Amino acid sequence: MTTPLPINPRLKHLPVYQPGRPIEEVARELGLDPQGIIKLASNENPLGPSRLGLAAMRQALKQVNLYPTATRFT
């Protein structure tokens, strides 16, 4: 496959991202209770999003249908 833009040759040697495995798979493989496993791979947070983050997302959802302007979102 050819690309219309040149690509940095160093990128060809980067390893392919391997996502974290599902908790169920790890539990089965190691004989552990899935409820006792906290997944820290794949940048996941076992505590969920913060209250402040959720509040900011709810506020942003009210304007998600609008294009940003110089005065909006500042």
Side-chain angles (χ1 to χ4, degrees), residues 32-62:
L32 299 172
D33 178 9
Q35 297 298 322
I37 297 175
I38 298 174
K39 186 174 181 179
L40 298 176
S42 305
N43 291 323
E44 295 179 5
N45 179 350
L47 303 177
S50 74
R51 288 178 296 162
L52 292 175
L54 288 172
M57 286 186 265
R58 283 188 195 100
Q59 187 64 31
L61 282 173
K62 296 175 185 176

